[in-house]
């Protein structure tokens, strides 16, 4: 008697363990509607390209960017502390900070779009690996199924998993971007910072500590980067060193990829929800923006512009003024003109005009700078571009 | 109205997205029986230590090793080609080759055992992070639940995931070992090699090509290394840079770990099944062992021993003899004594006694060498040790 | 006395360990010529974009592709066994096989080109993080330095490392492609396969075994994928969860990236060298192509076309004929017509016309198929395209 | 003329690219003194086991632990806020917090010690792969070179890289631990937290912003985890799917491993330096410890103990009291007894005795808890154990 599955060549059926390790029913169910050709390679291609990545792109586009893109406009003039090394550096605006993520996400979207343009090829007709002798029209099939073109080499078509690897790379980088925003939510909602507040909707309590309000959603967004990087690493390992053409190893492409794309969709949606939900404490932001001698650079710049010092000297003079204020435990603007002149005589009353955080952010008008006028222009440009893209889609 | 879940401090419920990203019901179900303390940290500890790792250790021990262990004994004198760089190097025995994996797996088992000894600590009583003011006996609880001792620092107990990371590391290294064996199964079952044969139980056919017999199980064993390495990488990423104590990020420890340990269990079972199932083609192994001038080193060694040459000179003389045989397209033993003496006059008839593969493997009697006597001794030593361990357990 | 390095604010110098961990002199030397702005962020950007990635693209383009592209044309009709699961599947041509790598490398080149288009932005003028109040023209600077445009957000410009991450992703995928080719070189030069021969130029010997010829270059190409994947993973870990804007963690971007790009350049050059150097053993390739019942699918296809069977039935009938030939230890074309008709009466003498490997490959004329005519057309199309691109550059 | 390097079998020398990709001179120089057998495998083993890992263990042991181990004793009663989710959870002591890292590092040390015990085997005498026919005493050689025993299987000895993989795994987990401490240094030195102060020795300034004091050393410690995880991932990728015995791929084991172990040594030394250097702001720590209703759990516990409530009810009552205090913007201890009794009548004057942070930490006397008495006992136990270990070594 012959084997039902593999035909006349086989005399017995598979081992139970073999069936288990070979099983991909759970994952293949998700592919049912797309499994036109009965080929897992084709189905994986369709699924990854057609459904998951597409949805993600849309979610990024419609959800998160618009939420950022609007909040940034509303807060183009909301002053907050800008950090480097988590130390207060210079005042920036909350809108400017949010717009930094708009730029990152725009690159993420660009990567997914490039991946789609490059990889949206139809493998149907590659047959087992060598092409077929049946007279088929691969262009027609490709078009009918929504692909841009047929794949150009049948061996490549059944052997490669670029379409998953490139999409996973883009997903991993995007997840890292969102993990950075999530980290900021965790830090900024800590009692010491308290720059923003999440509502109960994105906060959980504790079964032991009755007072707790935990930014769990942000922490999970941060953590999911691990899962997505893990999925990328995993598939790179699987594909490394595989001779052509198809090997069963490639069956491993789907589960990790689906899991990673689901995680990414969720992470994007959760971030969009948080962006909309966050209430910045604008008063506290402004106060914090003025602490830590954040306008010291403005003072140094003033010394260059008004007193004609070389920047190196201005930097040094400012450092000594900061040390003076720090010793007294007061801010720069609380020093008297005499105090300042005790360090350098060229300082005049005019210096006080640059020491406020509002003046500081207003002055940064270089392209890409934090000045409210710049931020508003960028936010409007992006909102318009998103509308144009939404109209096209 | 207050929030049912987090008590009097909350006024509204969580966002839908929040619920989704926060969900771990599917994974926590597996933990139900162990979730005595209602704490995910405790449950994860119990589950990972008590169940998964334990089972794996047992599976490695009882299944695969014994299978290797027995096959190696049966094939202690079965000569096959030993490869380096996948080029024929020197003859070895099939039993010796299988015993190499016994050594690797013994180290894998050692790692899991060390992990268990180090990590089998009970976190119960750490409370939220600071310990508790209730008069509890943590030693008693630890003993009752099968732990070796209570954790010594409550902050560490709720913050660290060493017990998963170390176990995943051990799993990743073990998976890499098994991927190497799987690669050999794929190469050795290829028509060009045909050194071994898998039965229909561990082979699949093709829906297109009626003649195919594919070593799918081996390919999946090889591929699962990717998934397990991915899980390890993923959790290392999650834990990197997290301030103490508990953060929700750590919820990500379970899913990847369960998936990886399931994959490892499956991979071990599939490998054990294949080891038992494999039929070595001993005739072909012996023929292949003699090809590729595999006894050239024996010739060089003979020149050192019998003709008193320094090894460097013996190496050079042998190289010239190999080139001579290669030019004629014949093996070393087919050269005449005159042929050999045309390269170096010190060669005598006695040289032919070292050119057979059987003599070659018999001569490697150094500890750890491929001589059948050595392999039998090692195989018996391991079988005995496994029996002793099984009796203890 | 104040600190020379950081100015008036500091009273003592750094700890020795601090200096050591902070050191990046070795790496920064490489950036000297580009370090116009004194900013590491700028320099890394310039270096990665302007030099390394660019060189790699050129190397891929000029070296490897042309070598593949030419060899494929020369061997468009050289029949060899096509494998799936490393089992003989169907005959293909060596040219077709090489062209599969041309497709992969084309996508690799596309990814690097997209990365450059997206990321070739000038951060100069972002200042510390907030932009500057000095009246600068960032468009002019960007143009002068060869960038496409200035970055649009100063916080993003000093915080993000997309330009390294995306380029490393592309490098990792490319390295995986080349590791697959390398694995094939290792397997195909093994004595059992002997489908190709590497000259002494890409082969090493052994200090112990005088007969050895090891494909070391291929093994190193295969191994370098690990290093490049490691560099990608490493930087994803570094960037995960970093709050904006600059943090010293980002200094880690350069060393791993330089190392990975050097490795990639070397790997591409070594692969190009091997592609040119490889001598296919065409006679052995053709013989091997006919073994393992590789034309069984042609027989099944014939049964569909000539005898009008459904494919499922044709597959089954073919399986039984293969089993018959396999039992007798002979190839399909050695069976008599009577033998075939004993399995199915509808088979006629005409069937023997499809059982030769030459006819098999000639029949696969679908777009992307292995037919020599198809392979020649694809090879010419690519050579032309490479010439056009070289002319543009 | 024959090839100087590989002897009579070779007729031409290697390609220039081949030499480049094959080169490991830079790394092998470091191995010179150990390269007794001329075998890279042996040397790598010696180097990794004998030198690098050993030094690391010593550094961990002598440097960092003692520094922690002493600081913890000095600050056993220094109250600070304990965080979960970076939200104030309950008061803990600074000593208790430091002791959590002592526990982590103890496990790290245990892993390195276990690795050494398992892997300190001498491969000398394995020869190329099959053992040797020369009468050698491998026990003698192993002992003479400081190994615990010879390897038991020659194929395994030349094929496996467990000794690097296991040591790298231990290094990666250790680096993750230290990245967590580093993250805390970054957060705690931020102006908003200001719980600790680093001296100028572990702080850098900014060439633009004269007021900056950046915790660069901590950021680099945090970042190095990426490099070490990358090295581990890289070598796992290299080893995955390699058939036995030696392949040139394994040459990749050294560079990444040396780099990772150097990074780890540096990171440990930098952390030890910072631990010694850190000045906790004890007044600010105590104030912060009392904020955020950190003794709410103490209140709930009191309700259980004194008023006999079930914990669920106590949790709910406490939540309402916290909400009441929060609405008024005051701490729990500032509410009047009447205020409290308006929520639940069973509350008595005695409740105020548990609301201070000092009382809170003193009450956590369970084993592993944060009570100063517990922390002192643990710190002394560890200091003694470290002295005993140092005396042994």
């Amino acid at each position: 008697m012959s084997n039902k599955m593999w035909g006349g060549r086989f005399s017995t059926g598979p081992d139970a363990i073999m069936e288990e390790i070979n099983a991909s029913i759970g994952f293949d169910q998700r592919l049912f509607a797309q499994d036109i050709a009965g080929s897992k390679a084709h189905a994986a291609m369709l699924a990854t390209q057609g459904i998951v990545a597409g949805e993600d792109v849309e979610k990024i586009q419609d959800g998160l960017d618009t939420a950022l893109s609007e909040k940034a406009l509303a807060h183009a003039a909301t002053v907050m502390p800008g950090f480097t090394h988590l130390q207060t550096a210079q005042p920036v605006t909350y809108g400017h900070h949010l717009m930094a993520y708009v730029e990152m996400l725009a690159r993420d979207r660009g990567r997914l779009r490039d991946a789609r343009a490059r990889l949206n090829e139809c493998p149907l007709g590659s047959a087992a690996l060598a092409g077929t002798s049946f007279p088929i029209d691969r262009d027609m099939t490709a078009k009918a199924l929504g692909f841009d073109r047929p794949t150009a080499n049948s061996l490549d078509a059944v052997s490669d998993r670029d379409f998953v690897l490139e999409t996973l790379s883009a997903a991993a980088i995007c997840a890292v971007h969102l993990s950075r925003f999530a980290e900021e939510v965790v830090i900024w909602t800590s009692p010491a910072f308290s720059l923003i507040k999440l509502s109960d909707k994105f906060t959980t309590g504790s079964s032991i500590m009755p007072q707790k309000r935990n930014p769990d959603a942000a922490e999970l967004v941060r953590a999911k980067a691990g899962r997505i990087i893990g999925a990328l690493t995993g598939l790179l390992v699987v594909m490394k060193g595989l001779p052509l053409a198809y090997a069963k190893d490639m069956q491993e492409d789907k589960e990790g990829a689906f899991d990673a794309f689901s995680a990414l969709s969720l992470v994007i949606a959760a971030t969009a929800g948080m962006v909309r939900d966050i209430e910045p404490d604008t008063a506290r932001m402004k106060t914090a923006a003025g602490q830590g001698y954040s306008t010291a650079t403005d003072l140094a710049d003033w010394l260059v512009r008004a007193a004609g010092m070389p920047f190196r000297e201005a930097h040094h003079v400012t450092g000594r003024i900061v040390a003076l204020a720090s010793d007294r435990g007061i801010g720069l603007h609380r020093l008297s003109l005499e105090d300042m002149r005790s360090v350098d005589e060229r300082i005049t009353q005019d210096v006080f005009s640059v020491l406020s955080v509002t003046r500081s952010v207003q002055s940064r008008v270089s392209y890409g700078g934090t000045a409210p006028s710049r931020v508003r222009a960028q936010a409007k440009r992006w909102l318009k571009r998103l509308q144009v893209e939404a109209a096209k889609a």
Side-chain angles (χ1 to χ4, degrees), chain A:
Chain A
M1 201 197 90
S2 69
N3 180 302
K4 280 174 203 164
M5 211 159 173
W6 309 122
R9 187 73 211 287
F10 281 67
S11 56
T12 66
D15 193 271
I17 282 290
M18 177 66 202
E19 284 184 353
E20 195 178 347
I21 201 170
N22 204 28
S24 66
I25 292 173
F27 319 114
D28 290 342
Q29 276 184 336
R30 291 184 61 172
L31 302 176
F32 178 77
Q34 289 78 31
D35 201 355
I36 299 159
S39 150
K40 296 202 180 84
H42 299 173
M45 165 73 94
L46 281 162
T48 307
Q49 290 305 315
I51 305 173
V52 187
E55 272 180 35
D56 285 345
V57 169
E58 299 235 35
K59 271 191 187 142
I60 289 174
Q61 187 164 351
D62 297 341
L64 181 52
D65 263 349
T66 307
L68 283 163
S69 53
E70 286 170 2
K71 288 282 173 179
L73 196 58
H75 291 286
T78 304
V79 177
M80 63 170 272
F83 303 98
T84 63
H85 313 264
L86 209 62
Q87 296 288 320
T88 311
Q90 294 174 354
V92 297
T93 68
Y94 182 52
H96 189 222
H97 193 97
L98 293 179
M99 287 303 293
Y101 286 99
V102 171
E103 293 292 332
M104 292 180 219
L105 290 166
R107 289 192 295 273
D108 292 327
R109 218 166 41 226
R111 270 184 282 273
L112 287 168
R113 207 177 280 150
D114 286 351
R116 192 185 176 81
R118 180 169 16 260
L119 304 168
N120 193 27
E121 301 182 331
C122 181
L124 275 175
S126 300
L129 76 160
T132 179
S133 56
F134 291 102
I136 60 173
D137 182 342
R138 297 190 58 211
D139 283 298
M140 203 176 76
T141 334
K143 285 283 178 304
L145 292 170
F147 287 102
D148 294 335
R149 59 194 169 275
T151 51
N153 183 298
S154 58
L155 279 166
D156 174 46
V158 301
S159 305
D160 202 42
R161 286 299 178 270
D162 268 24
F163 60 97
V164 191
L165 287 175
E166 181 173 349
T167 318
L168 275 177
S169 298
I173 297 174
C174 180
V176 165
H177 288 155
L178 298 177
S179 80
R180 305 182 71 175
F181 181 77
E183 169 90 352
E184 292 185 326
V185 171
V186 172
I187 292 176
W188 294 359
T189 54
S190 73
F193 276 82
S194 292
L195 296 180
I196 56 174
K197 205 184 163 195
L198 282 169
S199 76
D200 290 359
K201 286 198 296 177
F202 286 95
T203 314
T204 61
S206 156
S207 54
I208 299 186
M209 296 168 284
Q211 89 283 12
K212 289 301 294 291
R213 293 177 53 81
N214 299 322
D216 282 32
E219 292 174 306
L220 288 167
V221 166
R222 182 173 63 183
K224 295 288 181 193
R227 177 186 291 239
I228 296 170
I229 292 170
L232 169 62
T233 305
L235 190 59
L236 285 167
V237 174
V238 168
M239 296 305 295
K240 175 247 173 178
L242 280 194
L244 307 189
Y246 185 76
K248 193 74 173 186
D249 307 61
M250 296 179 202
Q251 178 174 294
E252 284 286 307
D253 65 346
K254 284 189 290 297
E255 201 175 351
F258 282 141
D259 184 76
F261 296 131
S262 297
L264 184 65
S265 299
L266 199 55
V267 152
I268 292 170
T271 306
M274 283 192 290
V275 167
R276 284 203 196 86
D277 189 65
I278 285 169
E279 280 301 319
D281 184 333
T282 55
R284 198 168 164 117
M285 276 184 169
K286 190 168 180 181
T287 307
Q291 290 170 343
Y293 306 101
S294 65
T295 57
T297 315
D298 298 273
L299 170 55
D301 286 352
W302 183 89
L303 291 169
V304 171
R305 259 200 319 268
M309 285 184 203
F311 186 77
R312 175 168 285 272
E313 189 186 351
H315 183 283
H316 196 79
V317 167
T318 306
R320 290 182 57 203
I321 295 174
V322 166
L324 186 69
S326 178
D327 286 346
R328 300 205 192 152
I330 58 175
L332 285 180
H333 62 289
R334 300 282 299 281
L335 290 173
S336 69
L337 184 58
E338 285 67 42
D339 293 333
M340 297 231 187
R341 290 172 64 95
S342 74
V343 177
D344 195 290
E345 290 204 341
R346 287 167 286 185
I347 299 174
T348 69
Q349 182 67 32
D350 180 55
V351 76
F352 291 99
S353 71
V354 303
L355 298 182
S356 83
V357 295
T358 307
R359 276 295 302 271
S360 174
V361 298
Q362 281 171 350
S363 75
R364 313 275 186 221
V365 292
S366 58
Y367 178 73
T370 202
S373 56
R374 280 286 180 201
V375 175
R376 264 186 218 107
Q378 288 286 0
K380 283 179 185 164
R381 186 174 71 86
W382 271 110
L383 275 176
K384 198 169 175 180
R385 192 165 144 183
L386 286 168
Q387 282 164 357
V388 170
E389 282 178 14
K392 265 195 215 159

